Amino acid sequence: MVCTRKTKTLVSTCVILSGMTNIVCLLYVGWVTNYIASVYVKVQEPISEKKLEEDKGDTLRIIERLDHLENVIKQHIQETPPKLEDNPAEAFTDSSLFAHWGQDLSPENRRIALKQFQYYGYNAYLSDRLPLDRPLPDLRPSGCRNLTFPDSLPEVSIVFIFVNEALSVILRSIHSAIDRTPAHLLKEIILVDDNSNNEELKEKLQKYVDEVNAHKPGFIKVVRHSKQEGLIRSRVSGWRAATAPVVALFDAHVEFNVGWAEPVLTRIKENRKRVISPSFDNIKYDNFEIEEYPLSAQGFDWELWCRYLNPPKSWWKLENTTAPIRSPALIGCFIVDREYFQEIGLLDEGMEVYGGENVELGIRVWQCGGSVEVLPCSRIAHIERAHKPYTEDLTAHVRRNALRVAEVWMDEFKSHVYMAWNIPQEDSGIDIGDISERKALRKKLQCKTFRWYLVSVYPEMRMYSDTVAYGVLQNSLKSDLCLDQGPDTENIPIMYICHGMTPQ
């Protein structure tokens, strides 16, 4: 699950650097852009060859910082943890894992904890030592406690998707789901293992499943992929195994809060064409403390990275913090009527690995007659990893998936997606696969235009018209300098060494 958060102060994006700040989103573009901005050095004007020659010392220092920056950027783009040095003692000191936790650990235990952190992207060492049934603070708005719900609600199948997840994290997800979902509403739990190579997730996990099923036969189902299919197809695999009228599709690193299910199932019972997201809180990856997130809608930028949004004005006017929040898109974890999900085309299985499927689903639901909403009274805590599994080149998959969405659903506004990714519309060199079936689905469902969606559902999204060109502006006198986004609040343009990343 990846996105950025826009708070009530209308800050559009929040900075995320793995291990340097609490994670408010997993939006790659956001944290790379802001990180670059944080190390900019302005070049005094006017720029001249003579002046640059005089400032060789400063230039060398800039280049040194840029080299360091490129290493950091490469690490984040690849989404892989840094390797331990030959002498790991310094790595223990510098690692973000120990910024707020673990100061009392012995050197050997620090080594073990750091190794697990580098593998999982969160503090699995600590997770293994926390109770599976640990209590969570009730972060629902106060009015939620006074709500009543119908006696007759549909059952739900909860699907957990994972690849090489820590066993204790998976088990805590399961325990919280069982403990905080009324027994008469929870029909089954489905575990989808996307071909993990972690041996602990085979024999030990199966033993746990067998023990649970001995008391309640068939309650936990396990779906194991013979090859890695990616998050998108794994969710569809979980849906196919589900039998309850409602299906909840989640990552396997969440903890459900009290009362999460009833408001969701009530809204879907009232209208089966509603796709629901809970309100998310953060489980800090280093110390597993719960961080409360403000109530938000969910949207996206033109690269189709998801982001948190300030709730719309219509919601604030209600002066009711328990009211559903109308949302342009979804972050990734959601609950949906099982049959309706099939009717609208599930997820786009032509997408690869990870990213964009949640945005595509939100757009499709709205354009094709449904709606998306976030429920303040349904709260779920989610681990925002320091780094993600699956692939060393997540961005390439997100870009490809975004172009599929643009070509099928965005009509004339597809140019905005190409521009955001800084690639030409014609002959982009990116194979997005066959989209004929998705176009046929849109025609079959008689869906509205993307312009309607922007005007009626996502008016906050900035539109661009009369664009003459897009790309990089390079200095003709000093070819290694480019126009760049400045570090100031208003991002006043500056000249900076060309690096080809998003701000340029």
Side-chain angles (χ1 to χ4, degrees), residues 61-92:
R61 283 190 290 273
I62 292 173
I63 292 173
E64 288 175 358
R65 295 174 71 184
L66 184 62
D67 287 340
H68 170 68
L69 169 62
E70 288 175 342
N71 290 333
V72 173
I73 291 172
K74 183 178 180 181
Q75 172 187 325
H76 282 289
I77 291 175
Q78 292 178 341
E79 296 283 356
T80 55
K83 295 181 179 179
L84 282 173
E85 304 295 335
D86 293 336
N87 182 4
E90 292 185 4
F92 293 155

Side-chain angles (χ1 to χ4, degrees), residues 420-490:
W421 283 104
N422 198 26
I423 53 178
Q425 273 190 251
E426 303 296 331
D427 301 321
S428 68
I430 299 172
D431 180 9
I432 64 172
D434 183 7
I435 58 175
S436 59
E437 288 188 6
R438 303 308 286 183
K439 286 188 172 182
L441 173 68
R442 178 177 178 177
K443 184 176 181 180
K444 174 186 174 183
L445 296 176
Q446 299 181 333
C447 304
K448 295 183 174 69
T449 66
F450 191 70
R451 181 177 290 277
W452 171 88
Y453 170 84
L454 289 176
V455 172
S456 304
V457 180
Y458 201 3
E460 302 89 349
M461 191 66 158
R462 182 176 178 181
M463 291 179 271
Y464 301 87
S465 59
D466 302 322
T467 301
V468 177
Y470 56 88
V472 172
L473 289 179
Q474 195 170 20
N475 191 295
S476 60
L477 298 178
K478 187 67 176 175
S479 60
D480 62 343
L481 292 178
C482 290
L483 192 67
D484 211 321
Q485 173 181 299
D488 297 333
T489 303
E490 299 299 324

Side-chain angles (χ1 to χ4, degrees), residues 92-132:
F92 293 155
T93 303
D94 296 339
S95 174
S96 64
L97 178 62
F98 305 114
H100 306 288
W101 171 87
Q103 288 80 7
D104 297 332
L105 290 181
S106 68
E108 179 58 26
N109 286 339
R110 281 199 169 203
R111 179 191 296 274
I112 295 170
L114 184 59
K115 184 176 181 180
Q116 289 182 315
F117 171 61
Q118 291 177 329
Y119 182 76
Y120 293 110
Y122 49 70
N123 192 346
Y125 180 92
L126 174 59
S127 175
D128 292 346
R129 287 153 179 80
L130 293 175
L132 296 181

Side-chain angles (χ1 to χ4, degrees), residues 14-86:
C14 297
V15 180
I16 167 176
L17 280 175
S18 300
M20 294 186 67
T21 185
N22 293 331
I23 296 181
V24 184
C25 57
L26 291 178
L27 177 61
Y28 150 72
V29 173
W31 42 254
V32 171
T33 301
N34 286 285
Y35 188 84
I36 290 172
S38 72
V39 296
Y40 281 158
V41 175
K42 288 188 178 180
V43 180
Q44 299 294 323
E45 296 185 13
I47 303 293
S48 67
E49 292 286 349
K50 181 179 179 180
K51 178 62 176 175
L52 289 171
E53 287 296 323
E54 292 174 352
D55 290 341
K56 279 184 179 179
D58 289 339
T59 301
L60 288 174
R61 283 190 290 273
I62 292 173
I63 292 173
E64 288 175 358
R65 295 174 71 184
L66 184 62
D67 287 340
H68 170 68
L69 169 62
E70 288 175 342
N71 290 333
V72 173
I73 291 172
K74 183 178 180 181
Q75 172 187 325
H76 282 289
I77 291 175
Q78 292 178 341
E79 296 283 356
T80 55
K83 295 181 179 179
L84 282 173
E85 304 295 335
D86 293 336

Side-chain angles (χ1 to χ4, degrees), residues 300-325:
F300 56 91
D301 61 18
W302 282 115
E303 285 185 327
L304 305 199
W305 292 97
C306 66
R307 58 188 293 186
Y308 289 96
L309 303 173
N310 200 48
K313 292 181 180 179
S314 58
W315 184 83
W316 291 107
K317 289 180 179 179
L318 295 174
E319 297 184 349
N320 178 10
T321 55
T322 71
I325 301 171

